[in-house]
Amino acid sequence: MSARGQSYRYVGPVELKAAVRPGSGGCRIGSAADFDGWIAGRSAAELTEPFTFVVGIDGVLRLAPRGSEHVACAGVDMVLSAGEIGFVREAGRWTVDEVSNQSTGYCPDVTSWSAVARALDRVELGRPSGFTHEVVFRRCPDCQEHNIVREDDFVCVFCGSDLPETWNVDPTV
């Protein structure tokens, strides 16, 4: 736990982490000017789909194309949140129209929203009041597999065991 909230280490496939090359991280968006420069370089086709994002442990938003792995966007570092984010231009300014914590590499808890909100506020982007699509991740205490909980059904899809009500994906936390 950091002063900014829970931090998450990468818990996805080791081969994806091993494939990350130095300097391949997402674009650091620390200010409104950073965002304006980054978004100006996106094509109309790119803007129709969400982007990969992470919030680093420094609290700064990093963005990458949708097909990017979160671990690459983060430069293999720990994060405060990760997921997908989409933008729309409304009334002459950019706003976030969709944002989720959907990252099977970091499996952040829905409580990571506060880190996302702070990062978006720092770059002066309009935003929703929470994730527009929340993903609930749990690790099965019996078979150790990572699960996405659907419709509040806290049962492991791999072995049928009960899943805990609280976030437990990283066994070192």
Side-chain angles (χ1 to χ4, degrees):
M1 188 87 142
S2 77
R4 295 179 179 269
Q6 165 85 37
S7 58
Y8 302 90
R9 71 181 180 93
Y10 180 73
V11 295
V14 293
E15 61 273 11
L16 293 180
K17 184 177 180 180
V20 176
R21 300 291 165 238
S24 65
C27 183
R28 189 175 189 280
I29 309 292
S31 68
D34 290 345
F35 180 80
D36 290 344
W38 177 83
I39 199 82
R42 307 291 67 105
S43 70
E46 283 181 292
L47 291 170
T48 64
E49 293 193 351
F51 295 90
T52 296
F53 84 86
V54 299
V55 176
I57 57 171
D58 59 0
V60 176
L61 179 69
R62 288 168 179 75
L63 297 169
R66 182 178 197 178
S68 303
E69 295 293 335
H70 289 96
V71 68
C73 187
V76 306
D77 290 337
M78 293 182 74
V79 300
L80 297 177
S81 191
E84 294 187 344
I85 190 167
F87 304 99
V88 65
R89 190 137 174 98
E90 291 179 343
R93 69 179 281 215
W94 287 101
T95 63
V96 174
D97 71 330
E98 59 181 316
V99 59
S100 76
N101 63 315
Q102 185 171 336
S103 167
T104 56
Y106 285 98
C107 302
D109 193 36
V110 296
T111 59
S112 69
W113 169 252
S114 59
V116 177
R118 283 190 302 273
L120 294 172
D121 289 348
R122 174 182 291 136
V123 298
E124 302 171 13
L125 284 170
R127 61 170 176 81
S129 60
F131 288 120
T132 56
H133 176 70
E134 291 184 340
V135 181
V136 176
F137 296 101
R138 295 294 185 269
R139 178 178 42 85
C140 177
D142 291 341
C143 72
Q144 302 301 307
E145 290 289 341
H146 296 156
N147 285 254
I148 293 177
V149 175
R150 300 184 196 286
E151 299 177 9
D152 289 327
D153 187 16
F154 285 80
V155 175
C156 178
V157 297
F158 300 98
C159 75
S161 295
D162 289 339
L163 298 172
E165 292 287 324
T166 58
W167 185 89
N168 72 330
V169 174
D170 188 346
T172 65
V173 174

